[in-house]
Amino acid sequence: MSHKVASVKGPLPGPRSKELLARWARVEAQCMGYQAQVAWDHASGVVVTDADGNTFIDWTSGVLVTNVGHCHPVLVKAVQVIAGKLLNNYECLQESRVEAAEKLISVLPPFLDKCFFLTTGSETIEAALRIMKRKSGKFEIISFYGAFHGRTYAALSAGGMAGPKKGYGPTIPGSIRVPFPYCYRCPFRADPATCDMLCLDYLEDAVRANSTGSLAGLIVEPYQGAAGFIFPPQGWLPRLEKWLRGRGLLFTLDEVQSSYGRTGKFWAMEWEGLTPDLLCIGKGIGSGVPASAIAARGEVIGALGAGEMSSTMGGNPLASAAVSVVVDIMRREGLVENALRMGAIMKSRLLEMQEKSPYIGDVRGMGLVMGVELVKDKKTKEPAPDLTRKLIDQAAGLGLLIGSVGVFGNVIRVAPPLVISEAEVHESLNIFEKALSRL
Ligand SMILES: Cc1ncc(COP(=O)(O)O)c(C=O)c1O
C-alpha cells in the first residue's frame, strides 16, 4: 500500500488557523470567494501544510498557478539566486529578461514571434484589447457570456460575468457580448447533438444588431474558466476562427489559465490548431512568481511604437528567472504528458462518481483541468451552490483542498499541480468520493 500524504488531526480550522483567520478579517477586506477554512503555511509539490500542521492534497494549484508544483526546488533556487543580484531595473536590460523572452518564444508556435512581459493576467488583456484597437483603427470588441478576463476596466468590460461588473458601469462602449456554448445549460435550450452549433449563427445576428461598423476583433478563452470550466464542443473554436477571419477581425486567445500544460498540451490552442494574432499568458508562466506575458504576431504588436507600452514590474529579474526555469522544468519533467495521463485517470473516476451521485450533474474537461458541476436535482439541473460550499469543507476536513467556480458558484475545480503522481491521484479521488458521500 502506498504511503498516504493527507493527514488532518482535528476539526478545521485548527487553533492557529482560526487565530490567523480572525486577525485577517479584522484588517483586510473580505471580498473574496469561499475557500476552505485553513491558513496555509507551506507547500511542496501537491501537498499543502496548514498553520496547524495538517496536510492536504491540493486540487487548486492556488488558482491554476503552480503548474510545476508548489515551491519546486529549482524554481525556488533560481529566484533566490537572482534576488541576491538584482530586483528591479525597469526597462533597462538584464540578461534574465532576454533569456526569458527567448525561452517563451521557443515554446510558442512560429507565427507568434514576439512577446512582452507584464505582471498579471488582466494586464495582458488590457494590452491585447489596446493592440487590437490600435492595429485596426476600430473600437468594437466581441466577447462572450460567461467570459472572465480579469477585473481591470477593459478586461471586465469584455467579461460576461456579473460579479466583476456589479455597480461599476457603464462598461467600455463597443463591447459586444454573445452566448458561449455552455452545452449543459444551452442558452438557446438546443440539443448539442443536433444543433450544429446554432450559437455560431447567432454571431451574425448579434453583429447586425449591435455593431456600428467598427469591429476591431474578438477575444475568447479556449475553455471558460471562472464561468465553470466550460469546454466548447469540438470544432466550435476553429469555426469561430474561420468566421472572424472571414470578417477580417483580429483574434485574441486568452490562455491566462489554459496554458503551460494544463489541458494536456502546452497551449490549449494546439488541440484544434488555432492561430490567434495575440495570446494572453499568465498564472502558470511563473508558477507562483508573479509574471505574465502577451505573445503576438510581430506585425500586430508592432502597432505600438516606442514608449507606448511598459509596466513597472513587467519582466523584472525575479519574474524573468522564473519564466525561464518554469519552461525548463516543464520540459525536463514531462509535465504536459503527465497532465494528460493523470487527467485521464481522474476523469474516468469522476465520471464513475457522477453515475452514483445524485448531485453531480456534469463532469467536463481535459488534462488536469476539470469541472464537476453540482446540482440539487439531475433532471431540473437546479444549481447547488450550498452543497458546493459544504463539499469544500467536507473535503478539507478529510485532507483535500478544492475550490469552486461557476456562473452559479456550483462547480468544483479539479486542477492539481501537474506534478501529481498516480498514488496522489487515487488518494485524492478517494477523499473526494468520501466527502461526496457526506453531503
Ligand atoms: C482566463 C483568465 N483571464 C484573465 C485572468 C485575470 O488574471 P489576473 O487575476 O492575473 O489578473 C484570469 C484569472 O483568473 C483568467 O482565468
Side-chain angles (χ1 to χ4, degrees), residues 306-323:
E308 292 186 335
M309 184 152 70
S310 75
S311 166
T312 298
M313 297 296 172
N316 70 71
L318 213 67
S320 296
V323 168

PDB file of all heavy atoms in Angstrom, residues 306-323:
ATOM      1  N   ALA A 306       7.571  52.980 -29.930  1.00  0.00           N
ATOM      2  CA  ALA A 306       8.437  53.174 -28.762  1.00  0.00           C
ATOM      3  C   ALA A 306       7.724  53.999 -27.697  1.00  0.00           C
ATOM      4  O   ALA A 306       7.055  54.984 -28.010  1.00  0.00           O
ATOM      5  CB  ALA A 306       9.722  53.872 -29.192  1.00  0.00           C
ATOM      6  N   GLY A 307       7.838  53.531 -26.471  1.00  0.00           N
ATOM      7  CA  GLY A 307       7.257  54.271 -25.339  1.00  0.00           C
ATOM      8  C   GLY A 307       5.765  54.050 -25.164  1.00  0.00           C
ATOM      9  O   GLY A 307       5.140  54.662 -24.307  1.00  0.00           O
ATOM     10  N   GLU A 308       5.176  53.160 -25.967  1.00  0.00           N
ATOM     11  CA  GLU A 308       3.717  53.012 -25.901  1.00  0.00           C
ATOM     12  C   GLU A 308       3.252  51.814 -25.079  1.00  0.00           C
ATOM     13  O   GLU A 308       2.061  51.565 -24.980  1.00  0.00           O
ATOM     14  CB  GLU A 308       3.140  52.969 -27.317  1.00  0.00           C
ATOM     15  CG  GLU A 308       3.298  54.319 -27.992  1.00  0.00           C
ATOM     16  CD  GLU A 308       2.629  54.412 -29.338  1.00  0.00           C
ATOM     17  OE1 GLU A 308       2.434  53.380 -30.005  1.00  0.00           O
ATOM     18  OE2 GLU A 308       2.310  55.541 -29.728  1.00  0.00           O
ATOM     19  N   MET A 309       4.159  51.042 -24.561  1.00  0.00           N
ATOM     20  CA  MET A 309       3.753  50.006 -23.600  1.00  0.00           C
ATOM     21  C   MET A 309       4.903  49.799 -22.612  1.00  0.00           C
ATOM     22  O   MET A 309       6.061  49.669 -23.027  1.00  0.00           O
ATOM     23  CB  MET A 309       3.388  48.681 -24.289  1.00  0.00           C
ATOM     24  CG  MET A 309       2.878  47.642 -23.297  1.00  0.00           C
ATOM     25  SD  MET A 309       1.728  46.422 -23.981  1.00  0.00           S
ATOM     26  CE  MET A 309       2.786  45.439 -25.031  1.00  0.00           C
ATOM     27  N   SER A 310       4.542  49.778 -21.343  1.00  0.00           N
ATOM     28  CA  SER A 310       5.552  49.458 -20.332  1.00  0.00           C
ATOM     29  C   SER A 310       4.817  49.041 -19.079  1.00  0.00           C
ATOM     30  O   SER A 310       3.594  49.150 -18.997  1.00  0.00           O
ATOM     31  CB  SER A 310       6.443  50.673 -20.027  1.00  0.00           C
ATOM     32  OG  SER A 310       5.732  51.602 -19.241  1.00  0.00           O
ATOM     33  N   SER A 311       5.543  48.512 -18.124  1.00  0.00           N
ATOM     34  CA  SER A 311       4.936  48.094 -16.878  1.00  0.00           C
ATOM     35  C   SER A 311       6.038  48.098 -15.828  1.00  0.00           C
ATOM     36  O   SER A 311       7.119  47.533 -16.066  1.00  0.00           O
ATOM     37  CB  SER A 311       4.365  46.678 -17.056  1.00  0.00           C
ATOM     38  OG  SER A 311       4.069  46.124 -15.814  1.00  0.00           O
ATOM     39  N   THR A 312       5.785  48.731 -14.693  1.00  0.00           N
ATOM     40  CA  THR A 312       6.839  48.891 -13.687  1.00  0.00           C
ATOM     41  C   THR A 312       7.483  47.552 -13.317  1.00  0.00           C
ATOM     42  O   THR A 312       8.686  47.430 -13.215  1.00  0.00           O
ATOM     43  CB  THR A 312       6.263  49.550 -12.415  1.00  0.00           C
ATOM     44  OG1 THR A 312       5.790  50.838 -12.785  1.00  0.00           O
ATOM     45  CG2 THR A 312       7.313  49.687 -11.326  1.00  0.00           C
ATOM     46  N   MET A 313       6.635  46.530 -13.151  1.00  0.00           N
ATOM     47  CA  MET A 313       7.154  45.242 -12.678  1.00  0.00           C
ATOM     48  C   MET A 313       7.365  44.220 -13.806  1.00  0.00           C
ATOM     49  O   MET A 313       7.966  43.176 -13.588  1.00  0.00           O
ATOM     50  CB  MET A 313       6.191  44.628 -11.654  1.00  0.00           C
ATOM     51  CG  MET A 313       6.035  45.446 -10.401  1.00  0.00           C
ATOM     52  SD  MET A 313       7.597  45.528  -9.511  1.00  0.00           S
ATOM     53  CE  MET A 313       7.193  46.723  -8.270  1.00  0.00           C
ATOM     54  N   GLY A 314       6.818  44.506 -14.986  1.00  0.00           N
ATOM     55  CA  GLY A 314       6.889  43.522 -16.074  1.00  0.00           C
ATOM     56  C   GLY A 314       8.319  43.194 -16.456  1.00  0.00           C
ATOM     57  O   GLY A 314       9.135  44.085 -16.671  1.00  0.00           O
ATOM     58  N   GLY A 315       8.625  41.910 -16.525  1.00  0.00           N
ATOM     59  CA  GLY A 315       9.964  41.491 -16.952  1.00  0.00           C
ATOM     60  C   GLY A 315      11.040  41.765 -15.919  1.00  0.00           C
ATOM     61  O   GLY A 315      12.235  41.786 -16.243  1.00  0.00           O
ATOM     62  N   ASN A 316      10.657  41.941 -14.639  1.00  0.00           N
ATOM     63  CA  ASN A 316      11.695  42.178 -13.619  1.00  0.00           C
ATOM     64  C   ASN A 316      12.530  40.897 -13.450  1.00  0.00           C
ATOM     65  O   ASN A 316      12.094  39.810 -13.846  1.00  0.00           O
ATOM     66  CB  ASN A 316      11.079  42.659 -12.302  1.00  0.00           C
ATOM     67  CG  ASN A 316      10.308  41.563 -11.607  1.00  0.00           C
ATOM     68  OD1 ASN A 316      10.886  40.622 -11.083  1.00  0.00           O
ATOM     69  ND2 ASN A 316       8.991  41.654 -11.636  1.00  0.00           N
ATOM     70  N   PRO A 317      13.730  41.026 -12.906  1.00  0.00           N
ATOM     71  CA  PRO A 317      14.632  39.862 -12.864  1.00  0.00           C
ATOM     72  C   PRO A 317      14.032  38.631 -12.168  1.00  0.00           C
ATOM     73  O   PRO A 317      14.219  37.502 -12.623  1.00  0.00           O
ATOM     74  CB  PRO A 317      15.846  40.393 -12.100  1.00  0.00           C
ATOM     75  CG  PRO A 317      15.833  41.859 -12.352  1.00  0.00           C
ATOM     76  CD  PRO A 317      14.390  42.253 -12.415  1.00  0.00           C
ATOM     77  N   LEU A 318      13.293  38.859 -11.094  1.00  0.00           N
ATOM     78  CA  LEU A 318      12.693  37.741 -10.358  1.00  0.00           C
ATOM     79  C   LEU A 318      11.725  36.972 -11.263  1.00  0.00           C
ATOM     80  O   LEU A 318      11.779  35.746 -11.382  1.00  0.00           O
ATOM     81  CB  LEU A 318      11.922  38.321  -9.170  1.00  0.00           C
ATOM     82  CG  LEU A 318      11.848  37.528  -7.896  1.00  0.00           C
ATOM     83  CD1 LEU A 318      13.214  37.429  -7.253  1.00  0.00           C
ATOM     84  CD2 LEU A 318      10.863  38.196  -6.936  1.00  0.00           C
ATOM     85  N   ALA A 319      10.824  37.726 -11.910  1.00  0.00           N
ATOM     86  CA  ALA A 319       9.838  37.120 -12.800  1.00  0.00           C
ATOM     87  C   ALA A 319      10.535  36.457 -13.986  1.00  0.00           C
ATOM     88  O   ALA A 319      10.183  35.340 -14.395  1.00  0.00           O
ATOM     89  CB  ALA A 319       8.857  38.186 -13.281  1.00  0.00           C
ATOM     90  N   SER A 320      11.524  37.130 -14.523  1.00  0.00           N
ATOM     91  CA  SER A 320      12.199  36.598 -15.716  1.00  0.00           C
ATOM     92  C   SER A 320      12.908  35.285 -15.400  1.00  0.00           C
ATOM     93  O   SER A 320      12.841  34.326 -16.179  1.00  0.00           O
ATOM     94  CB  SER A 320      13.221  37.618 -16.240  1.00  0.00           C
ATOM     95  OG  SER A 320      12.537  38.772 -16.661  1.00  0.00           O
ATOM     96  N   ALA A 321      13.571  35.241 -14.249  1.00  0.00           N
ATOM     97  CA  ALA A 321      14.257  33.996 -13.874  1.00  0.00           C
ATOM     98  C   ALA A 321      13.237  32.869 -13.752  1.00  0.00           C
ATOM     99  O   ALA A 321      13.483  31.733 -14.196  1.00  0.00           O
ATOM    100  CB  ALA A 321      14.991  34.186 -12.550  1.00  0.00           C
ATOM    101  N   ALA A 322      12.064  33.202 -13.196  1.00  0.00           N
ATOM    102  CA  ALA A 322      11.024  32.174 -13.035  1.00  0.00           C
ATOM    103  C   ALA A 322      10.527  31.696 -14.399  1.00  0.00           C
ATOM    104  O   ALA A 322      10.388  30.489 -14.637  1.00  0.00           O
ATOM    105  CB  ALA A 322       9.873  32.734 -12.212  1.00  0.00           C
ATOM    106  N   VAL A 323      10.270  32.629 -15.308  1.00  0.00           N
ATOM    107  CA  VAL A 323       9.750  32.270 -16.635  1.00  0.00           C
ATOM    108  C   VAL A 323      10.695  31.275 -17.319  1.00  0.00           C
ATOM    109  O   VAL A 323      10.259  30.278 -17.909  1.00  0.00           O
ATOM    110  CB  VAL A 323       9.551  33.540 -17.501  1.00  0.00           C
ATOM    111  CG1 VAL A 323       9.307  33.183 -18.962  1.00  0.00           C
ATOM    112  CG2 VAL A 323       8.393  34.384 -16.948  1.00  0.00           C
TER     113      VAL A 323
END
